[in-house]
Amino acid sequence: VSVCDARPVFATRKRFPDADEVVVDWPHRWLGNQQVDERTVIAVLTHDPKFDVPVLRVALRSKAGYVGAMGSRGTHEDRLSRLKAAGITDAECDRLHSPIGLDLGARTPEETAISIAAEIVAARWGGSGSRLTGTTGPIHPAGPAARRELRWPVWFWPPVPACVSADRRRRSSSTGCASSIVRFSYYAEPDARR
């Protein structure tokens, strides 16, 4: 998991002790120097056009398998206008998952993190995000799954205090929030643990 923020007061090891990497840099500049492929997941959680637009220009033109951005529907519409003014095509904008996450009725930061993680899992496996009680047919299709392999970690920019960590939940005495890193481990086969 990499956390990147241009503001050193926010991008600290103390705030993100579970992160593999905490980077103080402009997210678009940092992302432009990373290896990004179809397995890469990028989540932008800033609500700030001065961060959102530059990093999303890079992300949407990359090979990333998932690009999401947090914000209200109004923020999303404003962001789309700004992205198009910055030269992003309609096809590139169509790749953006925004507002990010599935509608779980989330109220807390931890619940919001779960809704984002759920959308990433649905994108990875081709799930609809619908309630299983309202669907028909097999839950897990027979034969080899036609899934998109997504690489973890998830990159969040800039860090938003208080999401959930699947590795462990830790409260920070400085913020009173859970760690803002969402970490997942996926295995190709049930017994193939890395």
Side-chain angles (χ1 to χ4, degrees):
V1 174
S2 299
V3 176
C4 181
D5 192 328
R7 301 163 297 181
V9 69
F10 292 118
T12 67
R13 180 61 63 187
K14 184 176 180 180
R15 288 190 76 213
F16 301 99
D18 293 328
D20 296 311
E21 175 179 38
V22 178
V23 178
V24 177
D25 197 355
W26 281 91
H28 69 281
R29 185 169 50 203
W30 182 78
L31 181 59
N33 292 316
Q34 303 305 304
Q35 289 184 333
V36 175
D37 62 26
E38 295 82 6
R39 300 169 300 153
T40 305
V41 172
I42 301 170
V44 180
L45 307 176
T46 64
H47 304 276
D48 187 339
K50 78 174 173 254
F51 289 103
D52 286 1
V53 174
V55 74
L56 287 171
R57 282 183 69 206
V58 175
L60 292 170
R61 289 183 170 156
S62 75
K63 294 179 181 179
Y66 177 94
V67 178
M70 183 173 269
S72 67
R73 293 185 199 292
T75 298
H76 171 68
E77 292 303 319
D78 178 64
R79 183 185 294 126
L80 286 179
S81 296
R82 290 172 185 267
L83 286 168
K84 289 177 182 177
I88 297 296
T89 67
D90 287 340
E92 290 167 331
C93 285
D94 288 345
R95 296 186 57 218
L96 180 60
H97 295 262
S98 179
I100 195 171
L102 296 180
D103 180 5
L104 304 180
R107 295 289 184 262
T108 68
E110 294 85 358
E111 292 168 345
T112 300
I114 290 168
S115 83
I116 294 167
E119 184 178 51
I120 293 167
V121 170
R124 177 179 191 242
W125 294 97
S128 69
S130 299
R131 294 180 59 193
L132 291 175
T133 57
T135 63
T136 59
I139 293 172
H140 305 288
R147 64 186 169 108
R148 294 188 320 156
E149 203 50 56
L150 294 179
R151 176 176 55 207
W152 306 96
V154 178
W155 295 335
F156 289 111
W157 290 297
V160 172
C163 292
V164 70
S165 171
D167 287 341
R168 69 177 176 249
R169 225 178 119 140
R170 177 190 314 184
R171 290 274 171 194
S172 164
S173 58
S174 63
T175 62
C177 302
S179 168
S180 68
I181 304 303
V182 179
R183 184 184 306 233
F184 301 93
S185 297
Y186 284 105
Y187 307 111
E189 300 295 328
D191 296 327
R193 302 232 156 79
R194 300 177 216 182

